[in-house]
PDB file of all heavy atoms in Angstrom:
ATOM      1  N   GLN A 972      17.910  -9.927 -94.922  1.00 96.00           N
ATOM      2  CA  GLN A 972      16.558 -10.105 -94.411  1.00 96.00           C
ATOM      3  C   GLN A 972      15.685  -8.886 -94.658  1.00 96.00           C
ATOM      4  O   GLN A 972      14.516  -8.879 -94.259  1.00 96.00           O
ATOM      5  CB  GLN A 972      16.627 -10.371 -92.903  1.00 96.00           C
ATOM      6  CG  GLN A 972      17.540 -11.505 -92.503  1.00 96.00           C
ATOM      7  CD  GLN A 972      17.039 -12.845 -93.019  1.00 96.00           C
ATOM      8  OE1 GLN A 972      15.919 -13.251 -92.732  1.00 96.00           O
ATOM      9  NE2 GLN A 972      17.868 -13.538 -93.804  1.00 96.00           N
ATOM     10  N   GLY A 993      12.532 -19.319 -85.035  1.00 88.00           N
ATOM     11  CA  GLY A 993      12.370 -20.531 -85.823  1.00 88.00           C
ATOM     12  C   GLY A 993      13.609 -20.951 -86.586  1.00 88.00           C
ATOM     13  O   GLY A 993      13.522 -21.786 -87.504  1.00 88.00           O
ATOM     14  N   LYS A1009      18.376   6.801 -95.921  1.00 95.00           N
ATOM     15  CA  LYS A1009      17.611   7.411 -94.840  1.00 95.00           C
ATOM     16  C   LYS A1009      16.262   7.864 -95.328  1.00 95.00           C
ATOM     17  O   LYS A1009      16.025   8.014 -96.531  1.00 95.00           O
ATOM     18  CB  LYS A1009      18.362   8.601 -94.256  1.00 95.00           C
ATOM     19  CG  LYS A1009      18.547   9.774 -95.226  1.00 95.00           C
ATOM     20  CD  LYS A1009      19.362  10.866 -94.592  1.00 95.00           C
ATOM     21  CE  LYS A1009      19.500  12.066 -95.556  1.00 95.00           C
ATOM     22  NZ  LYS A1009      18.178  12.713 -95.816  1.00 95.00           N
ATOM     23  N   ALA A1022      20.746  -3.135 -78.039  1.00 97.00           N
ATOM     24  CA  ALA A1022      21.038  -4.486 -77.550  1.00 97.00           C
ATOM     25  C   ALA A1022      20.630  -5.493 -78.604  1.00 97.00           C
ATOM     26  O   ALA A1022      19.847  -5.182 -79.520  1.00 97.00           O
ATOM     27  CB  ALA A1022      20.302  -4.771 -76.247  1.00 97.00           C
ATOM     28  N   PRO A1175      37.334 -49.052 -17.388  1.00 97.00           N
ATOM     29  CA  PRO A1175      38.444 -49.136 -18.344  1.00 97.00           C
ATOM     30  C   PRO A1175      38.332 -50.308 -19.315  1.00 97.00           C
ATOM     31  O   PRO A1175      39.202 -50.469 -20.176  1.00 97.00           O
ATOM     32  CB  PRO A1175      39.639 -49.358 -17.414  1.00 97.00           C
ATOM     33  CG  PRO A1175      39.068 -50.202 -16.299  1.00 97.00           C
ATOM     34  CD  PRO A1175      37.627 -49.811 -16.150  1.00 97.00           C
ATOM     35  N   HIS A1206      33.953 -42.159 -15.344  1.00 98.00           N
ATOM     36  CA  HIS A1206      34.837 -41.938 -16.484  1.00 98.00           C
ATOM     37  C   HIS A1206      34.965 -43.241 -17.267  1.00 98.00           C
ATOM     38  O   HIS A1206      35.444 -44.247 -16.737  1.00 98.00           O
ATOM     39  CB  HIS A1206      36.212 -41.473 -16.004  1.00 98.00           C
ATOM     40  CG  HIS A1206      37.124 -41.022 -17.109  1.00 98.00           C
ATOM     41  ND1 HIS A1206      38.468 -40.807 -16.906  1.00 98.00           N
ATOM     42  CD2 HIS A1206      36.902 -40.756 -18.422  1.00 98.00           C
ATOM     43  CE1 HIS A1206      39.015 -40.420 -18.043  1.00 98.00           C
ATOM     44  NE2 HIS A1206      38.077 -40.377 -18.979  1.00 98.00           N
ATOM     45  N   VAL A1213      30.147 -49.790 -23.837  1.00 98.00           N
ATOM     46  CA  VAL A1213      29.845 -49.643 -22.412  1.00 98.00           C
ATOM     47  C   VAL A1213      28.574 -48.811 -22.281  1.00 98.00           C
ATOM     48  O   VAL A1213      28.391 -47.825 -23.010  1.00 98.00           O
ATOM     49  CB  VAL A1213      31.016 -48.982 -21.659  1.00 98.00           C
ATOM     50  CG1 VAL A1213      30.641 -48.704 -20.206  1.00 98.00           C
ATOM     51  CG2 VAL A1213      32.266 -49.841 -21.743  1.00 98.00           C
ATOM     52  N   SER A1328      24.391 -35.974 -34.313  1.00 96.00           N
ATOM     53  CA  SER A1328      22.954 -35.710 -34.386  1.00 96.00           C
ATOM     54  C   SER A1328      22.480 -35.209 -33.030  1.00 96.00           C
ATOM     55  O   SER A1328      22.805 -35.798 -31.994  1.00 96.00           O
ATOM     56  CB  SER A1328      22.191 -36.979 -34.765  1.00 96.00           C
ATOM     57  OG  SER A1328      22.576 -37.443 -36.042  1.00 96.00           O
ATOM     58  N   ALA A1370      25.048 -22.227 -35.633  1.00 93.00           N
ATOM     59  CA  ALA A1370      26.197 -22.865 -36.291  1.00 93.00           C
ATOM     60  C   ALA A1370      27.046 -21.738 -36.855  1.00 93.00           C
ATOM     61  O   ALA A1370      26.964 -21.394 -38.034  1.00 93.00           O
ATOM     62  CB  ALA A1370      25.761 -23.830 -37.391  1.00 93.00           C
ATOM     63  N   VAL A1416      10.212 -19.747 -34.014  1.00 95.00           N
ATOM     64  CA  VAL A1416      10.727 -18.961 -32.892  1.00 95.00           C
ATOM     65  C   VAL A1416       9.657 -17.988 -32.455  1.00 95.00           C
ATOM     66  O   VAL A1416       8.861 -17.499 -33.267  1.00 95.00           O
ATOM     67  CB  VAL A1416      12.020 -18.212 -33.291  1.00 95.00           C
ATOM     68  CG1 VAL A1416      11.767 -17.224 -34.415  1.00 95.00           C
ATOM     69  CG2 VAL A1416      12.655 -17.522 -32.096  1.00 95.00           C
TER      70      VAL A1416
END
Side-chain angles (χ1 to χ4, degrees):
Q972 307 295 303
K1009 65 183 182 65
H1206 189 192
V1213 174
S1328 298
V1416 62

